Amino acid sequence: MNVLIIGSGGREHALAWKINQSPKVQSVFVAPGNAGTASDAENVDLDASDARSVIWFCERKRIGLVVVGPEAPLVDGLVDALESAGIKAFGPNQAAAQLEGSKTFCKQVLIAANIPTASYQSFTDGENAARHIMERFPDEKDYSPVVVKADGLAAGKGVSVCQTRQEALDAIDRIANQKIFGEAGASLIIEECLHGQEASVLAITDGQTIVTLPAAQDHKPAFDGDTGPNTGGMGAYCPAPIVTEDDMDWIEEHVLVPTVHQMNKQGTPFKGVLYAGLMMTSQGPKVLEYNVRFGDPECQPLLMRLKTDIVDIMLATIDGTLDQLDALQWDPRPTVCVVMASEGYPESYEKGHAIDGISNADVLEDVKVFHAGTTLSDRGATVNAGGRVLGITAAGESIAEAKSRAYEAVSKISWQGGWYRTDISDKALN
Ligand code: AMP
Ligand code: GLY
């Protein structure tokens, strides 16, 4: 079978690497891919927002499975278009992808299914939102933090955790009046601020059966000690001991199962990866958000541990036969992924600097360098082309060993301005 993966990040490189290991698979194509997928698969220049050209490519190359990596094409309905053309596609359809595409939709599902989450109000008008803040906190000294979120997709930038009343008013102004997220900010929500450690619990579901993957933990702030601006994620590890086995059982029973039921009940059945972003609060896990795809970078350490053929999992999800699949097999060893980023990220950065040492890192035992924002220059050199550039992922007998292997590999790689956090997975060690 030939497989097409949509996307160009570290997640998609990890997917290409894993899918390529399936004995069922002949060729793996990635659209548009990066320098890493160019060597582990074949890149194709397709625009995911042009469903007709994707379908045309699938028919020409006899693609038996399309895997949609990022949220935007899912929310735009690429899976619906592929299904209508009779092409198997892994991921939720447009209606179900609203779980990530609209924070209000997500909150309504959580509340309807009685799933623990932060309390919230939804607004379509900036003036009403600002009035709500002023009425709730007439005096700055009465203020307690709230979180302001643009309703729609905002490339991970639509959320502001506001430490002062003025910050909350500014966040509302940027979304509702300055419209910095365009249509994605046509409505916004104001949420109670939760405290605790975050964890990512991903499950694969065909709408009936739920297969939960081991918990992972991302590192969203740019700098060590969780300081600095929010990023797409500077590293991740798996499993995350903050989520105990009891927590996992509880999360399945009280979060994942009721979500899948609720989606069925309201006529938007969910198929694909259901990714619960959780806050492990003193009152137990609460859902911060749902994503409708693999997390990036969580996908890299997760897939490095997965031993089951991922193509079997994906086809069973599409065919509604997950109940017939054997229990997933995992490498018991933990994995750690350290992201290397371009100077200036998450703000603007220069591109085109040649990256040295990738092959020296890649040959290390139990290490895989997943590419994200990389491309091949005209001279064939691998150069940085995005904010998050590489996800160096390693396995070890313990999290500490996986961490030290990952950082040993990181130390072999350099380019002008390349940087990384030095404390990925430390929360699990302390
Ligand atoms: P989201 O896109 O909803 O996951 O939000 C992005 C990040 O903002 C999360 O990973 C958290 O770090 C933070 N965040 C979101 N909602 C809350 C909340 N209610 N309380 C505290 N932090 C939050
Ligand atoms: N790692 C966070 C995300 O994929 O949204």
Side-chain angles (χ1 to χ4, degrees):
M1 163 191 294
N2 296 334
V3 179
L4 171 66
I5 300 168
I6 304 290
S8 63
R11 165 183 51 214
E12 286 75 24
H13 188 190
L15 285 165
W17 172 79
K18 187 71 201 163
I19 288 169
N20 231 337
Q21 292 167 18
S22 168
K24 295 192 174 61
V25 169
Q26 271 129 30
S27 300
V28 180
F29 299 93
V30 188
N34 56 41
T37 59
S39 71
D40 279 328
E42 186 178 328
N43 288 349
V44 282
D45 192 13
L46 281 176
D47 176 4
S49 66
D50 179 2
R52 279 169 57 183
S53 73
V54 177
I55 291 167
W56 172 81
F57 178 84
C58 290
E59 286 169 348
R60 197 164 59 98
K61 292 288 185 182
R62 293 207 299 278
I63 299 291
L65 170 65
V66 179
V67 180
V68 184
E71 59 278 17
L74 294 167
V75 171
D76 285 350
L78 182 57
V79 168
D80 310 57
L82 291 165
E83 277 176 353
S84 310
I87 298 162
K88 288 194 179 192
F90 180 79
N93 65 15
Q94 184 167 37
Q98 283 302 301
L99 210 45
E100 179 167 2
S102 164
K103 304 264 186 212
T104 306
F105 178 97
C106 177
K107 281 293 190 184
Q108 285 165 349
V109 169
L110 292 169
I111 304 286
N114 204 13
I115 296 168
T117 187
S119 61
Y120 82 107
Q121 288 82 27
S122 188
F123 298 91
T124 49
D125 177 285
E127 228 168 279
N128 288 339
R131 189 173 321 113
H132 167 85
I133 292 288
M134 294 307 287
E135 284 172 6
R136 191 159 148 198
F137 309 112
D139 201 313
E140 178 77 58
K141 69 176 190 305
D142 306 324
Y143 181 80
S144 61
V146 297
V147 184
V148 177
K149 302 183 175 184
D151 183 69
L153 292 184
K157 297 195 171 127
V159 174
S160 303
V161 180
C162 304
Q163 299 301 341
T164 66
R165 189 176 66 177
Q166 193 55 46
E167 276 179 34
L169 294 172
D170 290 346
I172 292 167
D173 183 59
R174 283 195 301 274
I175 296 171
N177 305 327
Q178 299 174 38
K179 300 192 193 307
I180 61 167
F181 303 118
E183 263 307 294
S187 63
L188 61 87
I189 67 173
I190 299 177
E191 217 177 78
E192 165 200 10
C193 186
L194 301 176
H195 303 280
Q197 272 196 49
E198 286 178 48
S200 308
V201 174
L202 284 70
I204 297 179
T205 180
D206 58 7
Q208 300 300 327
T209 303
I210 298 171
V211 178
T212 307
L213 314 186
Q217 192 173 50
D218 190 7
H219 297 66
K220 289 218 173 107
F223 308 131
D224 283 11
D226 283 343
T227 56
N230 248 340
T231 69
M234 294 300 296
Y237 62 97
C238 169
I242 172 95
V243 187
T244 63
E245 268 181 43
D246 283 350
D247 288 330
M248 282 303 263
D249 291 343
W250 193 92
I251 290 162
E252 268 180 26
E253 185 181 338
H254 296 276
V255 176
L256 299 171
V257 169
T259 300
V260 171
H261 278 173
Q262 179 61 30
M263 293 295 276
N264 284 331
K265 194 169 145 192
Q266 63 183 53
T268 53
F270 190 95
K271 275 187 181 192
V273 177
L274 185 60
Y275 162 156
L278 300 166
M279 189 72 94
M280 306 302 287
T281 75
S282 53
Q283 293 129 37
K286 294 191 179 183
V287 177
L288 288 174
E289 62 161 352
Y290 266 122
N291 295 322
V292 298
R293 48 167 176 89
F294 282 108
D296 190 342
E298 292 96 324
C299 185
Q300 293 84 314
L302 267 168
L303 292 195
M304 190 178 240
R305 292 190 59 212
L306 179 66
K307 287 163 85 175
T308 304
D309 185 339
I310 195 172
V311 172
D312 288 341
I313 304 173
M314 290 175 160
L315 292 175
T317 302
I318 295 166
D319 296 341
T321 56
L322 266 182
D323 59 334
Q324 291 162 36
L325 200 73
D326 290 339
L328 300 192
Q329 299 294 311
W330 296 94
D331 185 335
R333 296 174 306 160
T335 47
V336 172
C337 169
V338 177
V339 169
M340 297 184 78
S342 298
E343 184 173 18
Y345 175 75
E347 306 302 329
S348 61
Y349 47 82
E350 283 180 12
K351 300 179 183 177
H353 297 298
I355 305 170
D356 291 321
I358 293 177
S359 52
N360 297 339
D362 235 350
V363 295
L364 296 177
E365 207 181 327
D366 292 321
V367 169
K368 175 70 188 170
V369 178
F370 292 117
H371 290 233
T374 65
T375 191
L376 292 172
S377 71
D378 297 341
R379 294 173 174 173
T382 299
V383 300
N384 74 317
R388 292 190 292 170
V389 178
L390 299 169
I392 292 82
T393 311
E397 292 303 324
S398 61
I399 292 179
E401 192 180 288
K403 177 192 172 188
S404 91
R405 283 216 177 115
Y407 278 107
E408 188 198 339
V410 165
S411 74
K412 314 259 179 225
I413 300 175
S414 65
W415 72 91
Q416 191 187 314
W419 63 279
Y420 52 89
R421 272 180 70 156
T422 66
D423 63 347
I424 300 303
S425 79
D426 282 2
K427 283 200 206 91
L429 303 175
N430 297 330

